Amino acid sequence: MRIVIIGAGEVGFHVAKSLSELDYDIAVVDTNHKKCQRANEHLDVIVIKGNGSDEKVLEQANVADADYVFTLTDSDETNLISSMQAHNLGAKKIIARLRDFDYSKNGHSVIPEKFGIDMVIHPEAAVAQEIIRLVKHPYADKFYEFENGKAVLFSKKINHRSNLVGSTVEDFHKKNTDFKCLVIAIMRDEKMTIPSSSFKFEPDDYVFFFTKSKNLDLLLNSLGISSSNSKRVMIAGASKIGRLIARQLEAEMSVRLIDNAKDKAVAVANELNDSIVIHSDATDVEFLKGENINEVDSFIAVTEDQQLNLLAGILAKQLKVKQSIIHVTNPDYVKNMSDLGMGSIVSKNTVSVNSIVKAIRIDHKDNVIQLFSTLDMEAIEIEAEKNSKAVRLPLANLNMPHGSIVALVNHNGHLTIPAGDFTYDILVGDYNLNRSGHYYISVSYNESEITKQFFYDSGHNVNPMKVDGTIES
């Protein structure tokens, strides 16, 4: 498969890095010498120094034969023109990064489709939504929604005081018989495990829980976790991400936004409605104390400087803020710094990588619906076929790989979190067997293709595409 990436900044570099590990034929185009040099030294890709909106440069990158072109520069205008040129030259599919998400709104004078763009990604808007989910669920290190929010998956790092420590997964389920919940994964010492019933919890485990949204409060109560939402939010950085977060939270929470550039602070103050904008330094300890940082529920560091974000987030945590969320540009930090106890680490570049990898997987008839942060794991959705093993046998008798677990079954809108004795017939009832159910499965990458065999009939050809290695997400 041939891929051309226009733009070797942080987004383009890390997309190229992830995809080059999957053995694709990749060319990277950028005008900046240092960015080209970095890609040359660290990635197994062809690097072309030139303007990605120049037709001759695109011809040199052999765009006409490209299966995918990703336009990922910092300039929306460059990405739009590059996309149009690539489309005219015959590229099969084009994914563009656009910072201004108004382009995706109906009625906008600039329509991405007119530039040959098949898919648009908005990294800043996407990571802002991830941060907002964490603010609304401050007990979680990561939080995901499925089936339009009807089911949720969240991770929580447990300490020595947790009532889980010393007990097994089986003990946890026996204690909570009034609602359905699954422990679908545990991260211990940077190793992901999909646990058996005899798995014993230890301090510092990251535990991933899956349940229906309506049972979330029951689960949190069982874990001894307060489900109260954040009320007081402090945002460091009037960046695009910071402004998006403030705009979406200011109607329901008390929001203070800090920026050390006076002109920007004044401009943003005029732009927002109910947020308080302060011209100051978010790493000034005396300032933070004066703003009663210890009474803040959520501190969000989203300046344009990742080092500043890390410092501000650490300081806020030391000054007893309840929740610290730190944005970094380097996706490697998301995995490597999450264990340091400084709070939740997020990255817009991680979001971009995931969106692009997911799009490629879907095009290859893969059923992936979520790539999980810090885990070598994914969620896939499979429709069980009429004559498959999954229809005929209880889950406990399927002998699925140890690296997989069925977390949810959707049959005609009826959601079930299955136990081991679950069979598809339970949900079929009077329905015709041809109306198959959708199974949501958490599975490690190296077990993905094996797992699918249990949900297809004997005549189904499983997609040969195999994903090896860890995708940072």
Side-chain angles (χ1 to χ4, degrees):
M1 183 188 300
R2 180 162 183 78
I3 295 173
V4 176
I5 299 174
I6 299 170
E10 288 299 327
V11 175
F13 178 86
H14 286 284
V15 167
K17 179 181 178 183
S18 290
L19 295 178
S20 65
E21 292 171 355
L22 304 180
D23 238 7
Y24 296 141
D25 180 15
I26 299 172
V28 175
V29 179
D30 201 286
T31 58
N32 185 284
H33 174 73
K34 287 186 178 179
K35 291 177 181 178
C36 289
Q37 186 176 20
R38 179 191 183 197
N40 242 332
E41 292 175 353
H42 298 284
L43 304 177
D44 183 17
V45 299
I46 297 169
V47 178
I48 299 171
K49 186 176 182 298
N51 190 331
S53 58
D54 186 324
E55 184 177 340
K56 291 182 179 179
V57 173
L58 294 180
E59 288 175 348
Q60 185 182 349
N62 201 16
V63 161
D65 295 329
D67 297 285
Y68 293 91
V69 173
F70 306 137
T71 57
L72 304 174
T73 76
D74 289 332
S75 166
D76 286 355
E77 291 73 19
T78 299
N79 292 340
L80 288 168
I81 295 170
S82 299
S83 297
M84 183 172 63
Q85 295 278 41
H87 175 73
N88 292 339
L89 287 171
K92 294 183 179 65
K93 185 163 185 175
I94 299 166
I95 298 177
R97 171 197 183 187
L98 297 177
R99 293 169 61 87
D100 187 347
F101 51 90
D102 285 343
Y103 286 138
S104 295
K105 294 180 179 178
N106 291 332
H108 197 281
S109 58
V110 177
I111 302 173
E113 288 80 1
K114 289 186 176 179
F115 291 82
I117 296 170
D118 299 286
M119 175 181 167
V120 174
I121 59 172
H122 298 292
E124 289 82 5
V127 79
Q129 289 304 313
E130 181 178 355
I131 291 170
I132 288 169
R133 285 196 300 270
L134 290 171
V135 170
K136 292 183 176 181
H137 301 277
Y139 51 83
D141 299 300
K142 298 290 180 184
F143 192 91
Y144 307 91
E145 294 181 335
F146 296 85
E147 286 291 320
N148 297 316
K150 293 179 182 178
V152 299
L153 169 68
F154 70 92
S155 68
K156 175 68 178 174
K157 185 178 182 180
I158 61 174
N159 57 32
H160 65 280
R161 295 188 298 272
S162 170
N163 56 23
L164 289 178
V165 172
S167 64
T168 64
V169 171
E170 183 179 18
D171 295 333
F172 170 76
H173 288 302
K174 284 182 177 179
K175 178 184 173 183
N176 299 293
T177 55
D178 51 339
F179 66 94
K180 287 286 185 69
C181 168
L182 287 177
V183 176
I184 68 159
I186 293 173
M187 176 71 81
R188 178 181 295 170
D189 298 329
E190 299 187 2
K191 181 181 178 182
M192 185 277 293
T193 300
I194 293 179
S196 66
S197 59
S198 60
F199 189 96
K200 187 174 288 189
F201 298 102
E202 294 182 2
D204 297 327
D205 283 346
Y206 282 91
V207 186
F208 286 73
F209 300 95
F210 190 93
T211 191
K212 292 182 182 180
S213 299
K214 66 180 183 180
N215 294 327
L216 182 56
D217 286 344
L218 291 173
L219 171 57
L220 295 175
N221 185 60
S222 170
L223 297 171
I225 298 172
S226 171
S227 59
S228 60
N229 290 338
S230 298
K231 296 181 176 64
R232 296 170 294 274
V233 177
M234 182 178 289
I235 303 171
S239 59
K240 179 180 279 289
I241 299 171
R243 299 194 303 273
L244 285 169
I245 295 168
R247 195 176 297 121
Q248 293 190 49
L249 293 180
E250 63 182 358
E252 53 187 303
M253 300 177 189
S254 171
V255 176
R256 281 173 283 176
L257 190 152
I258 307 159
D259 199 278
N260 60 6
K262 187 175 181 178
D263 291 345
K264 181 183 281 189
V266 171
V268 172
N270 293 326
E271 177 186 324
L272 298 172
N273 295 320
D274 299 318
S275 300
I276 297 172
V277 181
I278 304 170
H279 170 227
S280 190
D281 182 357
T283 62
D284 185 332
V285 174
E286 294 306 316
F287 163 75
L288 293 174
K289 287 180 178 178
E291 289 294 314
N292 299 316
I293 185 72
N294 59 310
E295 297 178 2
V296 170
D297 296 309
S298 299
F299 180 88
I300 305 166
V302 286
T303 74
E304 303 286 356
D305 184 340
Q306 74 173 356
Q307 307 302 330
L308 184 63
N309 291 342
L310 289 166
L311 178 56
I314 292 169
L315 284 175
K317 200 70 174 174
Q318 288 181 338
L319 294 171
K320 307 302 181 185
V321 72
K322 295 179 180 65
Q323 179 191 41
S324 177
I325 303 172
I326 301 169
H327 177 262
V328 295
T329 53
N330 188 339
D332 293 337
Y333 285 7
V334 177
K335 186 170 186 176
N336 295 328
M337 304 193 76
S338 294
D339 277 340
L340 299 181
M342 60 178 65
S344 297
I345 311 292
V346 298
S347 173
K348 66 179 181 183
N349 297 330
T350 293
V351 174
S352 302
V353 171
N354 285 345
S355 297
I356 289 170
V357 172
K358 181 178 173 181
I360 293 175
R361 298 280 300 279
I362 290 172
D363 285 348
H364 282 76
K365 310 302 181 186
D366 245 354
N367 313 80
V368 62
I369 55 174
Q370 181 69 58
L371 301 173
F372 291 109
S373 299
T374 72
L375 287 176
D376 185 14
M377 190 175 76
E378 65 193 14
I380 58 176
E381 177 187 2
I382 297 180
E383 184 171 349
E385 297 181 347
K386 182 177 178 179
N387 297 315
S388 66
K389 292 180 181 179
V391 170
R392 294 181 277 109
L393 297 173
L395 285 181
N397 295 347
L398 281 181
N399 294 320
M400 288 170 59
H402 290 302
S404 63
I405 182 171
V406 177
L408 185 70
V409 181
N410 180 350
H411 179 70
N412 295 325
H414 179 84
L415 302 182
T416 300
I417 294 178
D421 59 355
F422 173 87
T423 57
Y424 180 68
D425 305 5
I426 295 173
L427 288 185
V428 172
D430 295 329
Y431 292 110
N432 187 299
L433 269 175
N434 285 322
R435 299 179 69 176
S436 300
H438 289 264
Y439 287 69
Y440 290 78
I441 304 165
S442 291
V443 57
S444 59
Y445 291 135
N446 58 352
E447 302 287 2
S448 180
E449 296 303 327
I450 301 173
T451 300
K452 293 174 188 177
Q453 300 280 6
F454 293 90
F455 297 85
Y456 296 141
D457 63 32
S458 57
H460 189 113
N461 291 321
V462 175
N463 170 29
M465 181 180 178
K466 181 80 171 168
V467 177
D468 298 313
T470 300
I471 298 175
E472 301 294 344
S473 57

